[in-house]
């Protein structure tokens, strides 16, 4: 059985929140100038950061029928979504929709938004003067095991003369570098990891909107419960008994605790001190790199 709806209670609010942060921050972040003054790379970066568009996509998951109906079977739940913003904002939203931890998806969703953002970007990339690729990367600190990355267009040939322009777009997460520095002094690597984990979980499962979804009847409730189950499995924690509107904070604490343990291990491996780890935190930025070359 397939159940489709156009309800947007959770995902639309999530995207609006993210874009609201991005619009206020983008103008003051990033370098859109290409080394050597390459005009196509620079103009393409400006185009992505300033032109708006709309993307229609879906959220879909196989869930137990008991989540919606009486029965022991499984059903496909699908909800239609619409997101609007600049192309850079759409790319940033797609990056944060489903980050991976050690190569494993955290939410099991986000592919349709990523495809929509890619398509919206591809429509403005091609010029007669150069070939263009856009690479999108989010990491809360360099080389983090928690990450998200994808590209629009093919990679340049190894022997190509490549020009580059970069935009640092807002990820939708708050700038937690200062809180991470304070946490490093108080609780070492565990403190830095905890600050990061709390911010990521709050972005993926914002308490107010998540409660609304769990109160609702139909696809929003089933989809957010599916996201919790997927994240719980990826992090090795149990949130099953907390998937009710009154226990969202407890569910998020479980996810945050599991993520913090993984991040603390990764930070200890990569940095000589908690202070160095905290200084490297850049969770609020998504790196969008435009590469152009002839041929």
């Amino acid at each position: 059985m397939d159940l489709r709806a156009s309800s947007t209670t959770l995902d639309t609010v999530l995207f609006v929140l993210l874009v609201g942060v991005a619009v206020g921050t983008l103008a003051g972040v990033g370098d859109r100038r290409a080394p050597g003054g390459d005009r196509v790379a620079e103009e393409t970066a400006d185009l992505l950061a300033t032109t708006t568009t709309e993307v229609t996509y879906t959220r879909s998951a196989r869930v137990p029928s008991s989540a919606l109906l009486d029965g022991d079977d499984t059903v496909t739940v699908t909800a239609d979504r619409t997101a609007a913003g600049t192309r850079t904002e759409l790319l940033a939203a797609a990056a944060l929709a489903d980050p991976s931890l050690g190569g494993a998806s955290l939410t099991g969703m986000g592919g349709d938004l990523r495809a929509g953002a890619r398509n919206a970007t591809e429509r403005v990339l091609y010029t007669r003067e150069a070939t263009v690729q856009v690479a999108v990367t989010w990491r809360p600190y360099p080389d983090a095991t928690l990450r998200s990355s994808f590209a629009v267009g093919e990679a340049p040939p190894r022997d190509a003369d490549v020009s580059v322009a970069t935009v640092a777009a807002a990820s939708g997460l708050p700038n937690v570098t200062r809180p991470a520095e304070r946490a490093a002094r108080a609780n070492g690597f565990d403190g830095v990891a905890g600050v990061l984990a709390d911010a990521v979980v709050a972005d993926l499962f914002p308490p107010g909107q998540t409660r609304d979804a769990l109160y609702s009847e139909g696809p929003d409730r089933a989809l957010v419960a599916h996201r919790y189950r997927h994240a719980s499995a990826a992090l090795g924690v149990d949130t099953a008994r907390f998937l009710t509107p009154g226990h969202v904070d407890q569910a998020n604490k479980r996810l945050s605790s599991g993520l913090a343990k993984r991040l603390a291990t990764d930070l200890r491996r990569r940095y000589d001190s908690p202070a160095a780890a905290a200084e490297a935190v850049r969770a609020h930025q998504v790196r969008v790199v435009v590469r152009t070359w002839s041929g």
Side-chain angles (χ1 to χ4, degrees):
M1 179 187 298
D2 289 353
L3 297 177
R4 176 180 288 273
S6 60
S7 174
T8 59
T9 302
L10 180 63
D11 285 325
T12 296
V13 174
L14 285 174
F15 187 75
V16 168
L17 287 174
L18 188 149
V19 171
V21 175
V23 168
T25 308
L26 189 60
V29 179
D31 177 11
R32 298 180 197 163
R33 296 194 60 80
D38 182 85
R39 182 172 59 83
V40 176
E42 192 172 317
E43 289 181 353
T44 301
D46 281 334
L47 182 69
L48 297 178
T50 58
T51 59
T52 60
T53 188
E54 185 175 277
V55 169
T56 300
Y57 63 104
T58 61
R59 292 294 198 199
S60 183
R62 294 287 295 177
V63 303
S65 60
S66 57
L68 295 166
L69 306 166
D70 292 333
D72 299 323
D73 203 355
T74 60
V75 296
T76 298
V77 177
T78 303
D80 298 324
R81 312 298 198 198
T82 300
T86 69
R87 286 170 169 82
T88 301
E89 289 165 354
L90 290 170
L91 292 170
L96 270 292
D98 185 26
S100 65
L101 182 68
S105 162
L106 271 188
T107 70
M109 296 183 180
D112 285 335
L113 176 56
R114 184 170 294 187
R118 272 196 176 113
N119 291 337
T121 302
E122 284 176 344
R123 289 196 292 269
V124 299
L125 285 190
Y126 299 106
T127 73
R128 284 177 287 186
E129 300 176 60
T131 304
V132 184
Q133 184 207 46
V134 178
V136 183
T137 304
W138 175 78
R139 295 185 179 93
Y141 50 88
D143 298 321
T145 186
L146 178 67
R147 64 183 64 188
S148 182
S149 63
F150 62 96
V152 183
E154 297 297 323
R158 291 185 178 181
D159 59 350
D161 185 9
V162 179
S163 296
V164 178
T166 302
V167 174
S171 70
L173 274 69
N175 185 343
V176 295
T177 303
R178 290 290 180 86
E181 290 171 348
R182 291 193 293 269
R185 292 191 291 270
N187 295 302
F189 287 109
D190 290 336
V192 179
V195 167
L196 280 173
D198 287 347
V200 171
V201 171
D203 182 74
L204 293 175
F205 300 94
Q209 290 76 32
T210 301
R211 288 189 192 97
D212 290 344
L214 291 173
Y215 269 123
S216 69
E217 296 296 330
D220 283 321
R221 177 163 58 89
L223 289 172
V224 78
H226 174 81
R227 285 160 56 87
Y228 267 118
R229 286 191 291 268
H230 195 98
S232 299
L235 296 172
V237 299
D238 181 11
T239 60
R241 68 180 183 275
F242 299 126
L243 300 187
T244 62
H247 295 90
V248 169
D249 289 341
Q250 290 94 323
N252 283 6
K253 285 178 182 177
R254 286 292 182 93
L255 295 180
S256 183
S257 176
L259 179 57
K261 289 179 181 178
R262 298 282 294 274
L263 293 179
T265 298
D266 192 48
L267 289 168
R268 286 187 176 94
R269 183 167 59 245
R270 298 185 187 282
Y271 294 97
D272 293 332
S273 70
E279 187 178 353
V281 169
R282 294 294 183 273
H284 60 293
Q285 294 180 354
V286 175
R287 185 177 175 85
V288 180
V289 178
V290 178
R291 297 182 174 93
T292 64
W293 65 96
S294 299

